[in-house]
């Protein structure tokens, strides 16, 4: 690539990524030369400034026309902007948790946590804008490798070491599976660009190998289910959620999960939308029953296993698994509102999950225990914590007047409104939701009706702001969901995601 070609690209499209990359590089250099005993608060402030600057940069791209650079390996469109907003917002809230997280054996590694958080975010953002198998995989690995290290930052904690080891091993296996599936896609089509792959899927020669296309889909999809913690590749989640520091757990449950669904939408929908199955029918329609079973099993396993958990972080891990099952339902229903449903639910999940983990961090750090008993008599000790936690639990359970209810109701109606309607999948979703009432309401019962120590609870100002913001957002989106939906419809043209394959192929050439 010559200099003229390099300068001809519209590099402004990558402004948010450049901000995050520059901030992470600057922080790593600053941390390298800071003395060990020096406070890392300046690094936290710089990290926050970088995330806010990147978020502002993304918001400024709302009216930006579709831009493709680096030979269509990087693509700025409404889809990427919509999900980058969620990623940056979630990372900003997690950053406040991290700045307030106090634990002796993590202080010496606090500096590296901040730039690892930014590199993980950078990988997620690259996945949102990738239009090529290579850049998708690079973004996925950047997110994964940073997450592996963050999960084991508490080096003197055996559970943290165990969680990091299990995460690396299971993540490596999932990566190998995903790459194996991608290799079949490349081998069949001879392309790495997602849109050119979709175009080549209609080639008569490739249509003769319907079995291999179905095989490639299943292998790739199976590998990607690891990132969203869907069954059967979900067993890493409970151990990692328990052993990792609370801010890392919050990041994995929100930002990493969002990135997982982003890569599934980018790769699966674009690549296989024009693919034919074994008998010539649409591949995505043929595999619907299998994805349906996967979603149902994920919902049931997550909710049923959460019933017997006494460790609050493990309980939320299984809750996260069940939530992944709910978000998989739009993939089955093929609803025209699929993007809106997934985006809104991930937005609601961001507020209610990070809010819940904020309270979990306050209580578990003070009690030095992850047992559910840390919530005993919380209403008497600190009603200002008990009330927001109740809001978050009700939202996670899908009770009306919360954002979680609106998100679940939309997904439920999408399953019934599809052609054909998926009644039994909607039934499984209802049963899973009813089961979840048991363990969510159990936490509420412990907070309001179980006596415990009357020790006072102190909440750092930063965490109080996060709690208030998440609680208010959860209620407002539950009462007036049109605020988020109008923002979505007014700023994002998801039809850009389905631009004509032929036009994009001509643009690439």
């Amino acid at each position: 690539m010559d200099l003229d070609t390099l300068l001809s690209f519209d590099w402004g499209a990558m402004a948010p990524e450049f901000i995050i990359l520059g901030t992470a590089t600057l922080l790593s250099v600053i941390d390298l030369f800071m003395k060990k005993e020096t406070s890392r608060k300046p690094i936290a402030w710089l990290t926050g400034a970088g995330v806010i600057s990147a978020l502002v940069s993304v918001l400024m791209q709302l009216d930006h026309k579709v831009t493709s650079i680096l030979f269509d390996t990087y693509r700025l469109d409404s889809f990427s902007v919509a999900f980058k907003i969620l990623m940056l917002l979630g990372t900003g809230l997690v950053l406040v948790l991290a700045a307030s997280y106090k634990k002796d054996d993590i202080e010496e590694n606090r500096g590296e946590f901040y730039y690892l958080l930014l590199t993980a975010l950078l990988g997620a953002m690259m996945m949102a804008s990738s239009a090529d198998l290579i850049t998708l995989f690079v973004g996925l690995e950047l997110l994964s490798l940073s997450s592996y290290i963050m999960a084991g930052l508490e080096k003197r904690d055996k559970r943290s070491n165990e969680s990091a080891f299990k995460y690396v091993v299971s993540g490596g296996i999932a990566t190998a599976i995903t790459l194996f599936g991608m290799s079949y896609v490349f081998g069949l089509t001879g392309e790495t660009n997602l849109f050119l792959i979709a175009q080549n899927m209609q080639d008569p020669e490739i249509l003769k190998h319907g079995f291999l296309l179905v095989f490639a889909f299943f292998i790739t999809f199976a590998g990607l289910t690891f990132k969203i913690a869907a069954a059967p590749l979900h067993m890493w989640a409970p151990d990692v959620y328990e052993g990792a520091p609370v801010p890392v757990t919050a990041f994995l449950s929100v930002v990493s999960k969002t990135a997982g669904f982003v890569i599934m939408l980018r790769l699966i929908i674009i690549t296989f939308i024009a693919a034919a199955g074994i008998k010539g029918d649409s591949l995505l329609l043929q595999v619907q029953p299998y994805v349906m079973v996967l979603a149902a099993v994920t919902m049931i396993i997550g909710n049923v296993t959460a019933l017997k958990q006494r460790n609050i972080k493990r309980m939320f891990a299984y809750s996260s698994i069940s939530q992944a099952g709910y978000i998989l339902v739009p993939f089955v229903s093929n609803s025209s509102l699929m993007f809106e449903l997934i985006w809104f639910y991930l937005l609601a999940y961001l507020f209610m999950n990070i809010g819940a983990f904020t309270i979990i961090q306050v209580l578990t750090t003070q009690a030095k225990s992850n047992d559910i008993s840390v919530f005993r008599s919380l209403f008497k000790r600190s009603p200002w914590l008990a009330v927001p936690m109740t809001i978050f639990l009700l939202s996670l359970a899908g009770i009306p007047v919360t954002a979680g209810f609106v998100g679940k109701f939309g997904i439920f109606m999408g399953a019934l409104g599809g052609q054909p309607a998926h009644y039994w999948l909607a039934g499984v979703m209802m049963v899973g939701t009813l089961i979840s009432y048991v363990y969510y309401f159990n936490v509420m019962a412990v907070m309001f009706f179980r006596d415990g120590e009357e020790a006072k609870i102190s909440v750092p100002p930063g965490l109080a702001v996060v709690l208030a913001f998440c609680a208010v957002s959860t209620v407002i989106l539950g009462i007036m969901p049109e605020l988020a939906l109008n923002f979505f419809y007014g700023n994002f043209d998801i039809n850009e995601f389905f631009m004509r394959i032929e036009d994009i192929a001509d643009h690439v050439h």
Side-chain angles (χ1 to χ4, degrees):
M1 185 187 303
D2 56 40
L3 183 60
D4 291 337
T5 303
L6 196 62
L7 294 176
S8 67
F9 294 133
D10 182 6
W11 292 107
M14 294 187 69
E17 285 82 2
F18 284 135
I19 292 173
I20 295 299
L21 176 61
T23 305
T25 305
L26 178 63
L27 293 181
S28 62
V29 174
I30 292 175
D31 183 57
L32 182 64
F33 290 99
M34 290 180 73
K35 296 181 180 179
K36 287 186 177 180
E37 60 273 11
T38 304
S39 172
R40 262 47 181 182
K41 283 188 177 180
I43 293 184
W45 285 106
L46 286 173
T47 307
V51 172
I52 293 173
S53 299
L55 180 58
V56 171
S57 178
V58 170
L59 293 175
M60 292 174 64
Q61 294 176 333
L62 287 175
D63 296 326
H64 202 287
K65 63 179 182 179
V66 178
T67 303
S68 175
I69 62 174
L70 296 173
F71 305 104
D72 208 31
T73 57
Y74 180 93
R75 181 177 173 80
L76 175 65
D77 53 18
S78 292
F79 174 86
S80 62
V81 173
F83 286 97
K84 283 178 188 178
I85 290 174
L86 298 185
M87 294 172 183
L88 287 162
L89 181 58
T91 304
L93 295 175
V94 168
L95 186 58
V96 180
L97 269 68
S100 304
Y101 188 69
K102 303 295 182 184
K103 204 164 184 181
D104 294 337
D105 58 353
I106 201 175
E107 287 301 321
E108 61 185 273
N109 306 310
R110 185 175 293 277
E112 64 188 61
F113 167 79
Y114 291 118
Y115 47 83
L116 284 170
L117 184 70
L118 291 183
T119 54
L121 171 63
L122 178 62
M125 293 172 66
M126 287 299 300
M127 288 160 60
S129 284
S130 291
D132 193 273
L133 291 178
I134 297 174
T135 48
L136 269 176
F137 186 74
V138 170
L140 175 64
E141 285 306 286
L142 183 57
L143 170 63
S144 299
L145 293 174
S146 302
S147 300
Y148 299 155
I149 302 172
M150 288 193 295
L153 276 181
E154 296 181 4
K155 297 179 181 179
R156 299 186 184 89
D157 189 330
K158 291 183 179 180
R159 289 179 303 175
S160 183
N161 294 336
E162 179 185 354
S163 71
F165 176 75
K166 289 182 177 179
Y167 198 12
V168 170
V169 172
S170 56
I173 294 173
T175 297
I177 294 173
T178 303
L179 197 58
F180 183 56
M182 287 182 176
S183 69
Y184 267 86
V185 173
F186 172 72
L188 287 167
T189 62
E191 298 286 350
T192 59
N193 181 273
L194 301 184
F195 297 100
L196 291 178
I197 290 173
Q199 183 190 40
N200 288 352
M201 285 289 186
Q202 304 173 44
D203 190 301
E205 289 300 318
I206 295 179
L207 294 178
K208 296 178 182 178
H209 302 87
F211 173 77
L212 289 178
L213 284 177
V214 174
F215 179 77
F217 172 86
F218 276 118
I219 294 297
T220 307
F221 191 82
L224 294 178
T225 56
F226 168 86
K227 186 53 64 178
I228 62 172
L233 297 177
H234 67 283
M235 291 308 298
W236 63 271
D239 292 322
V240 173
Y241 277 45
E242 179 185 4
V246 177
V248 177
T249 304
F251 179 85
L252 295 177
S253 70
V254 174
V255 181
S256 183
K257 187 179 291 290
T258 298
F261 281 103
V262 163
I263 191 174
M264 291 180 76
L265 287 168
R266 273 285 189 196
L267 181 57
I268 300 300
I269 302 300
I270 291 180
T271 302
F272 292 98
I273 192 170
I278 296 176
K279 297 180 180 180
D281 298 331
S282 171
L283 185 148
L284 291 180
L285 290 177
Q286 285 191 7
V287 300
Q288 260 190 1
Y290 304 99
V291 180
M292 193 184 308
V293 171
L294 178 69
V297 170
T298 301
M299 286 186 279
I300 295 300
I301 288 178
N303 284 310
V304 171
T305 314
L307 293 173
K308 61 180 181 179
Q309 301 302 318
R310 290 288 305 174
N311 186 296
I312 189 65
K313 292 173 75 176
R314 291 185 72 89
M315 192 200 83
F316 267 80
Y318 285 107
S319 167
S320 178
I321 292 168
S322 67
Q323 302 291 336
Y326 300 141
I327 307 175
L328 278 173
V329 173
F331 282 90
V332 178
S333 59
N334 278 339
S335 169
S336 59
L337 303 177
M338 176 172 63
F339 291 96
E340 297 92 314
L341 293 175
I342 293 176
W343 184 85
F344 183 89
Y345 198 88
L346 288 172
L347 176 64
Y349 185 67
L350 183 156
F351 292 129
M352 56 194 180
N353 220 45
I354 289 184
F357 273 112
T358 301
I359 297 175
I360 290 172
Q361 175 173 310
V362 172
L363 297 179
T364 56
T365 302
Q366 179 172 310
K368 296 182 179 180
S369 170
N370 291 329
D371 192 84
I372 198 173
S373 60
V374 299
F375 286 90
R376 282 181 177 270
S377 68
L378 181 61
F379 183 71
K380 294 180 181 179
R381 290 187 290 159
S382 178
W384 296 108
L385 288 180
V387 172
M389 189 65 183
T390 302
I391 293 173
F392 301 138
L393 291 171
L394 292 176
S395 185
L396 286 164
I399 301 299
V401 200
T402 63
F405 168 77
V406 177
K408 282 187 179 179
F409 182 76
I411 291 175
F412 179 80
M413 295 306 295
L416 295 180
Q419 295 296 331
H422 301 284
Y423 294 107
W424 79 267
L425 184 61
V428 171
M429 187 176 176
M430 289 184 63
V431 171
T433 299
L434 291 173
I435 294 173
S436 71
Y437 290 171
V438 178
Y439 58 87
Y440 289 136
F441 289 178
N442 179 52
V443 177
M444 294 170 57
V446 172
M447 289 194 298
F448 288 93
F449 305 115
R450 300 287 189 275
D451 293 330
E453 297 181 2
E454 297 296 330
K456 293 182 179 181
I457 302 174
S458 60
V459 182
L463 296 187
V465 172
V466 170
L467 272 181
F469 177 69
C470 290
V472 170
S473 299
T474 300
V475 174
I476 288 179
L477 290 181
I479 299 173
M480 296 182 291
E482 65 273 10
L483 292 178
L485 293 175
N486 288 342
F487 174 78
F488 184 91
Y489 292 125
N491 294 282
F492 307 125
D493 180 13
I494 295 301
N495 289 326
E496 296 171 358
F497 189 83
F498 293 112
M499 286 181 65
R500 290 170 57 85
I501 303 299
E502 296 84 356
D503 294 342
I504 293 177
D506 292 340
H507 176 68
V508 172
H509 291 309

